[in-house]
Amino acid sequence: MIAPLLSVQGVSKFFHLGRGVQLHAVEDVSFSINPGETLGLVGESGCGKSTLGRVLVRMYEPTAGDILMDGESVAGRLTTARRRQFARQAQMIFQDPYASLNPRMTVGDIIAEGPDIHGLWTRSDRSQKIAAWLDRVGLLPEHAFRFPHEFSGGQRQRIGLARALAVEPRFVVCDEPISALDVSVQAQVVTLLQDLQKELGLTYLFIAHGLSMVRYISSRMAVMYLGQIVELGPSDEVFFRPLHPYTQALVAANPIADPQRERSRPEQLLKGELPSPINPPPGCRFAGRCALADQECRGVTPTLRQLENGHSVACHKI
């Protein structure tokens, strides 16, 4: 049995808004990711996906729970040396390629910033390494002397990818890396991510809205609702045989490529309002919008339990 590269154990992240008010962005999330795997994370805007990604790379400190890499905790207080080591091992590719690059730095300096901090490159081979990374992500060596505003969105995302990978990480959080790009460019970036994963043995957490893209790029898929994982399993299992009512609604809302089938299929609209993460309801957080909900659902929080084929669901009715 393969030992997981990353193990997330009961992780929560609350933001204090003052006067005793807390925003429950992520609550009691547990899962693991194996070496070389891509785990997809889907859910609607505001459900906590990006916050979870930032917690996993230690941009945010978890409020509770533990994060293990190779069985060793990387949450809580770390020595300066261990924190620097983890910063190399876990990197993030951001959603907005326009805001995530320093406009005052050249592309070469952006890519080399991490290796410079960690002392990975010598002065003599710095230019050669920058050129090699530009070539690896489909850009030209002369692009090293230009600034981010001179590039398209797709090119900027390639620069962001080169920056993240230049420190030779093992785990990369891809935080909706294609959502700000044109459809024609999205496929190119996804293909590049897959090629680099095979070449470098990378492990991804791929965050996105679109179920079809997540199913295409990931081996397993996790569905998040209001800060909690409600379903987790092999991507095809979750996509074609969704168990949780929320996942079923997401799949039903997923566009079909065939226009005739898209027009003829019945609409399945979710009723009710999304609860506030500042004051989440007791029990199942989806109960107020679920046709199957009863008193148990409204009073007892369901746990994520595994059924068969590695398929897990947090629902009292399954």
Side-chain angles (χ1 to χ4, degrees):
M1 185 175 178
I2 300 174
L5 173 69
L6 195 80
S7 181
V8 182
Q9 301 178 351
V11 164
S12 298
K13 178 60 184 177
F14 302 158
F15 293 98
H16 297 278
L17 305 180
R19 298 185 179 181
V21 178
Q22 288 185 327
L23 188 149
H24 295 228
V26 176
E27 190 163 356
D28 196 22
V29 167
S30 298
F31 59 85
S32 61
I33 310 179
N34 292 326
E37 181 185 22
T38 298
L39 175 67
L41 182 63
V42 298
E44 56 197 306
S45 296
C47 73
K49 304 186 303 295
S50 294
T51 299
L52 177 60
R54 284 165 167 75
V55 169
L56 297 187
V57 298
R58 292 294 304 271
M59 290 180 67
Y60 295 153
E61 295 292 331
T63 304
D66 202 0
I67 304 165
L68 308 178
M69 178 169 273
D70 293 325
E72 181 183 347
S73 176
V74 292
R77 292 196 172 190
L78 301 176
T79 64
T80 301
R82 182 68 183 102
R83 194 175 183 93
R84 283 172 63 89
Q85 182 188 28
F86 181 70
R88 274 194 63 192
Q89 293 176 327
Q91 286 286 308
M92 192 163 191
I93 302 166
F94 296 93
Q95 175 180 358
D96 188 353
Y98 295 90
S100 61
L101 302 178
N102 189 331
R104 300 190 177 198
M105 294 176 67
T106 65
V107 167
D109 286 339
I110 288 171
I111 293 173
E113 184 177 20
D116 287 345
I117 290 171
H118 292 282
L120 302 182
W121 299 347
T122 64
R123 281 181 174 272
S124 59
D125 65 5
R126 188 176 186 268
S127 297
Q128 184 180 351
K129 294 278 190 180
I130 292 170
W133 272 109
L134 286 169
D135 178 68
R136 200 172 242 161
V137 297
L139 297 174
L140 300 174
E142 54 264 34
H143 288 158
F145 306 101
R146 299 183 186 178
F147 290 86
H149 72 270
E150 300 179 63
F151 296 88
S152 67
Q155 289 174 320
R156 292 188 200 193
Q157 199 58 288
R158 291 171 185 265
I159 295 166
L161 179 56
R163 174 184 62 182
L165 300 186
V167 294
E168 302 170 11
R170 301 169 63 202
F171 172 64
V172 181
V173 173
C174 306
D175 184 16
E176 301 194 45
I178 60 172
S179 63
L181 307 179
D182 293 338
V183 175
S184 59
V185 180
Q186 289 181 0
Q188 298 173 15
V189 173
V190 167
T191 300
L192 178 60
L193 284 168
Q194 291 177 314
D195 291 344
L196 289 170
Q197 181 178 37
K198 292 176 184 176
E199 179 185 347
L200 304 173
L202 298 169
T203 302
Y204 290 148
L205 176 70
F206 188 88
I207 301 171
H209 283 103
L211 268 71
S212 296
M213 182 58 75
V214 171
R215 174 184 158 242
Y216 171 73
I217 195 172
S218 65
S219 53
R220 288 190 302 141
M221 185 189 303
V223 181
M224 200 169 193
Y225 183 79
L226 206 67
Q228 296 181 328
I229 301 293
V230 297
E231 189 161 354
L232 172 66
S235 295
D236 283 350
E237 279 279 327
V238 174
F239 189 86
F240 290 111
R241 287 173 288 278
L243 298 177
H244 196 279
Y246 176 63
T247 311
Q248 292 171 357
L250 284 182
V251 172
N254 194 60
I256 299 175
D258 185 337
Q260 278 191 319
R261 288 176 58 203
E262 177 67 28
R263 282 193 295 267
S264 62
R265 71 171 175 172
E267 287 189 356
Q268 297 185 33
L269 298 178
L270 283 177
K271 298 180 180 179
E273 294 184 2
L274 184 71
S276 170
I278 294 176
N279 187 27
C284 176
R285 294 184 176 179
F286 189 64
R289 307 172 76 185
C290 180
L292 303 177
D294 58 16
Q295 285 303 110
E296 181 186 23
C297 301
R298 295 183 179 91
V300 180
T301 302
T303 58
L304 189 68
R305 54 196 174 86
Q306 186 167 321
L307 303 178
E308 57 183 13
N309 300 325
H311 200 159
S312 301
V313 64
C315 181
H316 293 304
K317 300 304 174 186
I318 305 300

